[in-house]
Amino acid sequence: MHIVLDDTAMAAAGQGNVLASRLIHRAHAEPGWFLYAPACALVEADRARPGTAEHLASLPGISVLDLDLPAALAIAQQVTWAAAHTHYAAQPTADRPDGAIVATTAPNRWDGEPVRVLDLTP
């Protein structure tokens, strides 16, 4: 299971969202569960809730995704960096042929986008 946290899910995790906490626990404790934090979304989550980036980056079950050249080129065509980097990270790759699921507390943000969404709204 490959899941990409958007900035809203990261901020929610820092505020004690039970569903986000369960995802983090599974990614740490269960084989086959992978949780990703795109760097641009991590920055935006930290702006909304200071301390979020440092906290999430320190958790062993979360992989922070760097802003590499292909991601930067994809982001340059979008309005917000956080959503664009999350969208880019959820796309299929050789390691994730089916792509990844976007975990969010704002599922309407992803309406009309070609990504699968996991609503973390309690």
Side-chain angles (χ1 to χ4, degrees):
M1 179 71 61
H2 297 274
I3 300 173
V4 178
L5 298 171
D6 76 358
D7 56 305
T8 67
M10 291 182 216
Q15 295 172 328
N17 179 293
V18 173
L19 299 173
S21 295
R22 286 181 186 164
L23 284 178
I24 293 167
H25 173 74
R26 282 194 167 179
H28 174 67
E30 295 183 28
W33 281 78
F34 303 94
L35 204 53
Y36 306 99
C40 293
L42 191 59
V43 168
E44 194 60 35
D46 199 69
R47 287 180 179 165
R49 188 172 194 288
T52 299
E54 185 176 353
H55 173 71
L56 289 176
S58 72
L59 297 174
I62 297 180
S63 298
V64 176
L65 301 177
D66 294 331
L67 183 61
D68 59 7
L69 180 58
L73 295 174
I75 287 171
Q77 301 171 9
Q78 301 295 324
V79 176
T80 67
W81 287 35
H85 199 188
T86 301
H87 181 270
Y88 175 81
Q91 297 308 303
T93 65
D95 295 338
R96 300 183 307 270
D98 293 328
I101 299 167
V102 174
T104 184
T105 60
N108 294 341
R109 169 194 283 182
W110 299 100
D111 286 349
E113 294 292 333
V115 295
R116 294 173 291 159
V117 173
L118 175 61
D119 186 356
L120 299 182
T121 306

